[in-house]
Amino acid sequence: MFRRAVTALCYTAARALLALRPHVHRHLPSVRTAPLLGFNLDSRWSVTPHDYSLPNPSWSPEMMRLYDHYNSLCEQEGGGKSKAPWVRMPSYNRLLKYAKGGQCLSKMVQAKARLFTRNMKEEGASFEYVVFLNKQEKMCTCIFQAGHLLEGPPGYVHGGAIATIIDTVAGALTTYLGGLVMTANLTINYRSPIPLGSVVLVHSLLEKMEERKILIFCQVTSSDGSKLHTEATGLFLSISLGHLIGG
Amino acid sequence: MFRRAVTALCYTAARALLALRPHVHRHLPSVRTAPLLGFNLDSRWSVTPHDYSLPNPSWSPEMMRLYDHYNSLCEQEGGGKSKAPWVRMPSYNRLLKYAKGGQCLSKMVQAKARLFTRNMKEEGASFEYVVFLNKQEKMCTCIFQAGHLLEGPPGYVHGGAIATIIDTVAGALTTYLGGLVMTANLTINYRSPIPLGSVVLVHSLLEKMEERKILIFCQVTSSDGSKLHTEATGLFLSISLGHLIGG
């Protein structure tokens, strides 16, 4: 019983860790329009959270074109392509505030806290992104539109914002593969700057899994793949919930 | 004449690059209360920009204590400690929008663009920080208070937000040393997570300068220095303005 409770907590925290819930995908008949339908959340959620990975009016035609492309490769409603390897990963600005938990869990919850990449109300101003997971290939592709509030060098995306989306996408894949994880190392090579407002692809691929260590390789390219903007590796460690809350 | 114009543009862009204006410091009699006084900005600025590195009501007592400590080591108004090695570096959310420039410069200016680390109106919500530069030792120390909108793992700062403040502080030192620079590599080891809302110190030190390459070593520690949160190196490249605008 205790083990089950801890496992449930781990799942909740793991999902909150990157605001992604990969294990939900595995049970869903569709990821296109209603990622939460068909999954009984009543006991765990007080309201249905907003899924930030769905299109909004700020998405450019290029962002929409890429979204439609990857979405067409996903499992469809009604099970039309039930064996399709791709799934879209929903994304929230915070999960734990919706979760019911014991004392340990509530210690971690700060009411006003929001996920760094989803902390803006204004659509299109900062991080607009959607992550697609390929379960067979153990890889993720993220379509990322960099808003005007992410500036570093004049007219270009801040190196820290690029590190952030890399950590997020690599972490998304790692969470799918290893459950609750923490970033141990990021090594990022910036090859060419990313113009503010542009749409790029962030590819993330499993390099190696060894005990608690998960090594991920990342590339950020232009939307047509012709230009390499950034290359990176991320080392992640599987951890227990107790590790996170200092238990 | 052309060379002088390009040099002026380089200075403007270099300052905008990290929203820091180190060369202004060298000429200022004081960094405590009026970093822009005594410097003729009329020809270059339409309004006096807001300096985000000065205290605001969201700063915690610990942040204020550290600020007062480092500020007391700085050059004082009236030249009381004119040979003090430390200076506070002012920080803006954007400089180029205030700058007058030709076609090349205006190509880079997007009216709504804001520096990633200074893009929030709400004080205390995201990055609150102030960078002090030690010119003699070629090092910077940043006091960083991590707001509730920087969350990654529940209750802790996002790895991308940590990368961002490291890039900013290391880049600040590099801009002082090398003018207009771009980040080429960041290698970050996350040793222990940073609790959301806490105040930490980001120390940045010159490791090596070789032609266009500048290597910086960084450490993020607890405010009393007893706990190491993060270690990193940053490699920066001095570039020309033409490089940035594709000229």
Side-chain angles (χ1 to χ4, degrees):
Chain A
M1 184 63 189
F2 174 73
R3 192 171 169 183
R4 198 181 299 165
V6 170
T7 307
L9 277 177
C10 282
Y11 268 125
T12 309
R15 294 190 317 245
L17 191 63
L18 289 150
L20 293 161
R21 299 183 303 124
H23 75 285
V24 172
H25 292 290
R26 293 179 216 143
H27 300 290
L28 278 176
S30 164
V31 292
R32 174 173 276 223
T33 55
L36 295 178
L37 292 178
F39 191 74
N40 180 16
L41 297 167
D42 290 347
S43 62
R44 200 169 283 178
W45 305 78
S46 53
V47 292
T48 303
H50 174 69
D51 182 356
Y52 286 80
S53 74
L54 291 169
N56 69 55
S58 79
W59 287 21
S60 67
E62 182 66 355
M63 179 94 173
M64 280 307 304
R65 186 187 69 76
L66 288 162
Y67 174 82
D68 288 340
H69 168 71
Y70 280 96
N71 206 37
S72 72
L73 303 175
C74 287
E75 297 171 5
Q76 302 297 307
E77 261 183 285
K81 289 184 187 175
S82 59
K83 288 183 181 174
W86 291 89
V87 285
R88 179 182 61 77
M89 305 179 94
S91 171
Y92 308 97
N93 68 358
R94 193 135 210 256
L95 289 199
L96 279 180
K97 69 170 181 164
Y98 302 106
K100 291 179 181 176
Q103 201 177 359
C104 286
L105 197 58
S106 61
K107 261 172 62 183
M108 299 191 295
V109 176
Q110 294 184 28
K112 288 165 69 184
R114 293 290 176 275
L115 185 74
F116 183 40
T117 55
R118 300 298 194 188
N119 64 12
M120 292 266 178
K121 283 185 182 164
E122 185 188 348
E123 290 173 346
S126 59
F127 295 93
E128 290 291 342
Y129 65 95
V130 49
V131 180
F132 290 91
L133 166 72
N134 188 316
K135 294 179 284 185
Q136 286 175 12
E137 303 290 335
K138 293 179 180 170
M139 63 171 286
C140 278
T141 293
C142 167
I143 311 164
F144 169 42
Q145 180 179 295
H148 56 272
L149 298 186
L150 303 184
E151 195 175 49
Y156 293 97
V157 181
H158 196 290
I162 298 169
T164 300
I165 198 73
I166 285 171
D167 188 31
T168 299
V169 181
L173 178 58
T174 317
T175 301
Y176 168 75
L177 296 167
L180 188 59
V181 294
M182 293 285 275
T183 313
N185 171 276
L186 282 181
T187 299
I188 305 170
N189 289 307
Y190 298 90
R191 304 290 187 202
S192 71
I194 299 173
L196 216 56
S198 63
V199 175
V200 295
L201 292 172
V202 187
H203 301 287
S204 180
L205 185 72
L206 174 67
E207 279 267 297
K208 203 173 175 184
M209 256 182 110
E210 205 174 88
E211 295 177 359
R212 291 176 55 218
K213 295 179 184 173
I214 303 174
L215 187 66
I216 305 289
F217 175 68
C218 262
Q219 274 192 330
V220 185
T221 69
S222 55
S223 61
D224 63 358
S226 66
K227 189 166 195 171
L228 177 64
H229 288 294
T230 322
E231 274 183 315
T233 56
L235 178 64
F236 295 82
L237 289 183
S238 295
I239 59 166
S240 67
L241 188 66
H243 187 99
L244 195 65
I245 60 176
Chain B
M1 184 64 190
F2 174 74
R3 194 171 169 184
R4 196 181 301 166
V6 169
T7 306
L9 278 176
C10 282
Y11 269 124
T12 310
R15 296 192 314 248
L17 190 65
L18 288 151
L20 292 164
R21 302 183 303 128
H23 74 288
V24 173
H25 292 291
R26 291 178 220 146
H27 301 289
L28 278 176
S30 164
V31 295
R32 174 172 276 222
T33 55
L36 295 178
L37 292 179
F39 190 75
N40 179 17
L41 296 167
D42 291 347
S43 62
R44 200 171 283 177
W45 305 79
S46 55
V47 292
T48 303
H50 174 69
D51 183 355
Y52 287 80
S53 74
L54 291 168
N56 68 55
S58 78
W59 286 22
S60 68
E62 181 66 354
M63 180 93 175
M64 280 307 304
R65 187 186 67 76
L66 288 162
Y67 174 81
D68 288 340
H69 169 72
Y70 280 96
N71 206 37
S72 72
L73 304 175
C74 288
E75 297 170 6
Q76 303 296 305
E77 258 182 290
K81 290 183 187 175
S82 60
K83 287 184 181 174
W86 291 88
V87 285
R88 180 183 59 77
M89 305 180 94
S91 171
Y92 308 98
N93 67 0
R94 192 133 210 257
L95 289 200
L96 279 180
K97 68 169 180 163
Y98 302 106
K100 290 179 180 174
Q103 201 177 1
C104 284
L105 196 59
S106 60
K107 262 171 64 182
M108 298 191 297
V109 177
Q110 294 182 29
K112 290 165 66 185
R114 293 292 175 274
L115 186 73
F116 183 39
T117 55
R118 300 298 194 189
N119 64 11
M120 292 265 179
K121 283 184 183 165
E122 186 187 347
E123 290 173 345
S126 59
F127 294 93
E128 290 291 343
Y129 65 96
V130 50
V131 180
F132 290 91
L133 166 72
N134 188 316
K135 293 179 283 185
Q136 286 174 12
E137 303 290 335
K138 293 179 181 171
M139 63 170 287
C140 278
T141 293
C142 167
I143 311 164
F144 169 42
Q145 179 178 296
H148 56 271
L149 298 186
L150 303 185
E151 194 176 51
Y156 293 97
V157 182
H158 196 290
I162 298 169
T164 300
I165 198 73
I166 286 171
D167 188 30
T168 299
V169 181
L173 179 58
T174 317
T175 301
Y176 169 75
L177 297 167
L180 186 60
V181 294
M182 294 282 279
T183 314
N185 172 276
L186 281 180
T187 298
I188 305 170
N189 289 307
Y190 298 90
R191 304 289 186 202
S192 71
I194 299 173
L196 216 55
S198 63
V199 176
V200 293
L201 293 171
V202 187
H203 301 286
S204 179
L205 184 72
L206 174 67
E207 280 268 297
K208 202 174 176 184
M209 255 181 112
E210 205 174 87
E211 294 177 3
R212 291 177 53 220
K213 295 178 184 173
I214 303 173
L215 187 67
I216 304 289
F217 175 68
C218 262
Q219 273 192 330
V220 185
T221 69
S222 55
S223 61
D224 64 358
S226 66
K227 188 166 196 172
L228 177 64
H229 288 294
T230 321
E231 274 182 317
T233 56
L235 177 65
F236 295 81
L237 289 183
S238 294
I239 59 165
S240 67
L241 187 66
H243 187 100
L244 195 65
I245 61 176

